[in-house]
C-alpha cells in the first residue's frame, strides 16, 4: 500500500521540516508546492513569471494552475510508493480536485496530519525564518496577509477531512524531534 501523506497547518508550523524528515526516513518524496513555485520563479520559466507577483503578495495562485502542477507531479514514477503533500491542497476546490485525482488512480490518503500551532508562535517563527532565508513573502505585512488567506481559505480543509477518519492532530509547538516522534507513531498506525 502506498503511503500517501497530507500535511495541513498554518505557515510556520514546521510542515516543510517534518516533510523532509519523513522523506529521509521513509523514502517517500516531499511535494511542496511552495518550493516548486519558488523554483519556477528562480528558473525564470513562463509559470514562474505568471506566479511571481501572486506569491510575493502572499495570495494563492489560481486553483486550476496549481492543480495542473500537482497532477503532473503525481504522474512521476517516484510517487508509486507514496508521497508527502506539503502546501497542497490549500482551498476546498483543490481538495476536491485531489480527491478526484487520487480516485482516478485507485488511491486515497493514508493519513492527514494537522499541525496545530498558536498563530502568534507561527508568526514569530516566520519572522525568524525571514532573517535566515530571506524569502520575499516573509516580510511582516505579507506574513499577516498570508495568515488571513490561510484562515479564510485553508483552515476549512480541517472540516473537509474531519469526516474521512484519516485526520489526526499534531502539537506543532513541541520541539522538532518530539513532533517527528508523534508523526512517526501516527504513520505506524496508518500502516498497521
Ligand atoms: P508555502 O511555501 O507553502 O508557504 O507557499 C508559498 C506561496 O506559494 C504561497 O503563499 C502561495 O502564494 C503559493 N502557493 C503554494 N502552494 C499553493 C497552493 N496549493 N495553492 C495556491 N498557492 C500556493
Amino acid at each position: 500500500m502506498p503511503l500517501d501523506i497530507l500535511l495541513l497547518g498554518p505557515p510556520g508550523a514546521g510542515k516543510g521540516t517534518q516533510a523532509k524528515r519523513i522523506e529521509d526516513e521513509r523514502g517517500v518524496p516531499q511535494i511542496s508546492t511552495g518550493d516548486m513555485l519558488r523554483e519556477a520563479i528562480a528558473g525564470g520559466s513562463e509559470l514562474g513569471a505568471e506566479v511571481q507577483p501572486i506569491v510575493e503578495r502572499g495570495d494563492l495562485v489560481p486553483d486550476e494552475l496549481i492543480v495542473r502542477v500537482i497532477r503532473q507531479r503525481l504522474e512521476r514514477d517516484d510517487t508509486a510508493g507514496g508521497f508527502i503533500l506539503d502546501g497542497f491542497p490549500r482551498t476546498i476546490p483543490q481538495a476536491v480536485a485531489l480527491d478526484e485525482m487520487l480516485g482516478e488512480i485507485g488511491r486515497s490518503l493514508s493519513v492527514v496530519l494537522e499541525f496545530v500551532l498558536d498563530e502568534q508562535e507561527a508568526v514569530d517563527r516566520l519572522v525568524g525564518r525571514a532573517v535566515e532565508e530571506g524569502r520575499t513573502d516573509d516580510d511582516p505585512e505579507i506574513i499577516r496577509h498570508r495568515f488571513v488567506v490561510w484562515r479564510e481559505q485553508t483552515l476549512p480543509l480541517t472540516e473537509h477531512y474531519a469526516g474521512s477518519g484519516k485526520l489526526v492532530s499534531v502539537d506543532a509547538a513541541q520541539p522538532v524531534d518530539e513532533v517527528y516522534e508523534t508523526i512517526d507513531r501516527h504513520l505506524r498506525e496508518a500502516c498497521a
Side-chain angles (χ1 to χ4, degrees):
M1 274 276 279
L3 185 56
D4 294 339
I5 304 167
L6 171 56
L7 306 184
L8 284 183
K15 300 187 297 295
T17 304
Q18 297 296 337
K20 286 192 180 67
R21 180 110 179 237
I22 302 167
E23 178 178 77
D24 288 347
E25 304 273 337
R26 302 232 168 206
V28 285
Q30 172 196 18
I31 300 181
S32 158
T33 42
D35 285 351
M36 291 166 84
L37 295 177
R38 280 185 290 278
E39 275 162 27
I41 293 169
S45 67
E46 206 176 306
L47 170 72
E50 188 177 347
V51 301
Q52 183 167 20
I54 306 172
V55 171
E56 288 187 348
R57 285 200 302 273
D59 283 323
L60 297 181
V61 307
D63 288 333
E64 57 279 10
L65 186 155
I66 202 78
V67 166
R68 207 163 57 229
V69 167
I70 280 288
R71 181 178 284 279
Q72 283 173 3
R73 180 64 187 85
L74 290 180
E75 279 168 3
R76 279 171 47 186
D77 292 345
D78 66 344
T79 62
F83 53 72
I84 310 155
L85 286 177
D86 163 16
F88 177 94
R90 255 186 162 89
T91 66
I92 295 285
Q94 290 180 20
V96 171
L98 176 64
D99 292 342
E100 280 170 13
M101 272 188 270
L102 293 178
E104 283 166 22
I105 52 172
R107 278 160 73 162
S108 65
L109 293 170
S110 314
V111 66
V112 179
L113 298 166
E114 181 182 39
F115 287 46
V116 178
L117 186 67
D118 175 73
E119 191 164 321
Q120 189 56 51
E121 169 74 21
V123 170
D124 291 347
R125 288 189 188 180
L126 288 181
V127 171
R129 185 172 77 185
V131 177
E132 282 165 28
E133 295 180 10
R135 267 175 60 165
T136 49
D137 62 347
D138 273 349
D139 165 273
E141 268 299 289
I142 307 287
I143 289 174
R144 265 193 295 279
H145 182 62
R146 284 164 61 206
F147 270 93
V148 172
V149 170
W150 173 75
R151 240 183 284 116
E152 289 176 355
Q153 307 207 50
T154 309
L155 193 54
L157 293 185
T158 304
E159 196 60 39
H160 178 83
Y161 290 110
S164 69
K166 305 287 174 63
L167 182 70
V168 292
S169 79
V170 174
D171 175 7
Q174 300 174 97
V176 188
D177 288 345
E178 283 171 40
V179 174
Y180 183 73
E181 274 169 35
T182 307
I183 289 174
D184 192 51
R185 191 159 34 81
H186 288 307
L187 295 183
R188 273 184 271 127
E189 281 165 16
C191 294

